[in-house]
Amino acid sequence: MADSTDMFGAAPEPQDAGSSAAELEAAGQGAMFGEPVAAAIPAATPVSAPVPVAAPVAPAQPYRVLARKYRPQTFSALIGQEAMVQTLANAIRRDRLAHAFLMTGVRGVGKTSTARLIAKALNCIGPDGQGGPTIDPCGQCEPCRAIAEGRHIDVIEMDAASHTGVDDVREIIEAVRYAAVSARYKIYIIDEVHMLSRNAFNALLKTLEEPPAHVKFLFATTEVDKLPVTVLSRCQRFDLRRIPTTLLAQHFAHVCKEEGVEAEDEALAMVAAAAEGSARDGLSILDQAISHADLAGSGEGETIRVSAEQVRDMLGLADKTLQRRLFAALLAADGPALLEEVAHQYALGIEPVAMMRAQLDLVHKITVTQISGPEGQARSAEESAALEGWAADLGAGQLHRLWQLLLKGHDEVRTAPDPLVAAQMSLLRALHAAGMPDPGGLVRKMEEMLAQAPALAAAAAAAQAGGEGAPAGATGLVPGASANANANANAGIGVGAGMDWEGLVEQVEEISPLTGATMRLSVRLIELRRGTLRYQLAPGLPGDPTADIKKTLQGLTGEMWLVERLDGEAAAGALPSLVEAKQAREAEAEAAMRADPLVRAALEAFPGAEILDESNPATAERRPWQPARSRQA
């Protein structure tokens, strides 16, 4: 009966060695029937006094991480999801509750917490036990407390990652037929529902489409694209958004206040940025930062203080300084400093592909800073100041060119046999191209040169008027004019009324291409009348085409023709051939174009540049690997 005495706090009594078995048996029977044990013991046996026992000490509660301790217990504590809360509030208020809800979003934004809050909102009965569904569950009634503690018999939470088969779904199908035991609704919360197998989804479809009135399904998933469309169409879907960085920082400040921890605003901003929109990730980082600050030297009784410097070291943000230093060397076109920074980072264990990725990330942050400011792009005041400075100094064209060069370099480094060498060459290529002006800047520079050099405009006007700078032999040739106009401009050359030399050559080319080509290329017109043609033959053509020209003209017009070739003084004043006239017009146009101030500035900015005419096969073939640029007259 030692156990019986222990129940009341008394110490077990020692047994006398001389006591008989009968006495011991009598003592046992007396205890069995509730009689005092001392009555069955001989008077000679001394009875020891009760020994006082200290009150039992309650076991210490284990530490709960911040992510679990500050899990939202009401919809008002759920941050960043106001649209979903408003929708649910209206649905509950108007009694328009769906039978299945689907919460989707990235990790740590409140999907499972929202599902539990919905279960509490639907089953809350209020402190007085008379309440109904509400968007503000009391948290005091038995259903609210049981759901919060995970012990409510009618709220079944299942992890689909470990219950993926048809048998698990079959248990749900069998159980939904029975009404809730003590709650208003029987609720099934299936987390990571995308892990269910295809057969399991198919088995659930019919029940999900027409469940009993007392059953609600709450699904949560991070990969909604893996769910069948047939399941999506049967659920009311809520896309939980990433929580903004500023809102996370405010939430973390509230948590630090509750925990009695002092934290710098910059430190909380860096933690919020590192969380990437996830409250759970941010609370885990904050938990680590508080532990790091405590280990850094806060003594017993002192207030823990989380500083930005400690958070920066903990998150490894000191490496950002190396990235900015490398980018600064690239922009300054300092090749030796760039190679030294690459070697330094490589010695620290940073892979070349990670260097390129970091430079790409920096260019992206600067570009976004130009448009919307550094908020959300920087994790420290130093980085924010650097981004703002580069955003003000660099043009959009330079940043986009750097992005393309670094992106190409990243692909090269990833596939190169020696990544370090590839990274060096890629960064040096970007270094040499970083200082080149963008097209917009080049145009502005040309406009400035034009404003500062009015003499160039005057020279261009003189060249266009046929003055100094016009090519020799181009005087009097008007682009597009016929032979009649040219003949009228040259004394002593007669052209009959209605006679068009170029038109006549075109007709000859239709019936005799060889003769027509000869007339266009080598015949310099002296006199053209009806039935009469006198010309000078341009040098370089062997033989005498007079007979062929005469025969072709007679066949074309049906009349006799006098075709005579003249040389020496008789040929003085002959017009250039049609080809020579065309070449003269092109030379004049090109001279006028080169005299234009903008073109002249462009040629000075790019020594060795050429003007190519894409309509001319001769010039187009000179650069077969490079698209020809149209010449603007």
Side-chain angles (χ1 to χ4, degrees), residues 84-127:
M84 181 196 66
V85 174
Q86 182 65 34
T87 303
L88 288 173
N90 293 339
I92 293 174
R93 189 179 302 113
R94 299 166 187 170
D95 195 19
R96 299 178 62 89
L97 288 170
H99 60 267
F101 297 90
L102 172 64
M103 275 67 69
T104 178
V106 298
R107 80 273 177 223
V109 293
K111 299 182 296 299
T112 306
S113 297
T114 300
R116 294 173 181 173
L117 290 176
I118 294 176
K120 292 170 64 175
L122 297 182
N123 286 328
C124 179
I125 59 176

Side-chain angles (χ1 to χ4, degrees), residues 590 593-594 599 603 609-613 619 629 631:
E590 182 173 351
M593 180 174 24
R594 288 181 177 274
V599 178
L603 294 176
E610 299 181 12
I611 301 177
L612 302 181
D613 186 358
T619 58
R629 292 174 292 176
R631 186 181 67 183

Side-chain angles (χ1 to χ4, degrees), residues 393-414:
D393 295 338
L394 299 176
Q398 285 178 284
L399 289 173
H400 289 293
R401 185 165 57 250
L402 277 174
W403 173 265
Q404 294 295 332
L405 291 168
L406 292 173
L407 185 62
K408 179 177 176 60
H410 177 271
D411 294 339
E412 293 176 354
V413 172
R414 189 174 54 185

Side-chain angles (χ1 to χ4, degrees), residues 282-316:
L283 287 173
S284 299
I285 297 173
L286 181 61
D287 215 341
Q288 181 183 358
I290 293 174
S291 300
H292 184 72
D294 194 13
L295 294 174
S298 294
E300 184 177 356
E302 298 181 3
T303 302
I304 299 175
R305 181 177 179 83
V306 179
S307 65
E309 186 64 28
Q310 291 172 339
V311 173
R312 186 180 296 110
D313 293 339
M314 183 190 72
L315 296 177

Side-chain angles (χ1 to χ4, degrees), residues 39-65:
I41 302 177
T45 304
V47 179
S48 60
V51 178
V53 178
V57 179
Q61 294 293 329
Y63 175 73
R64 299 178 67 194
V65 296

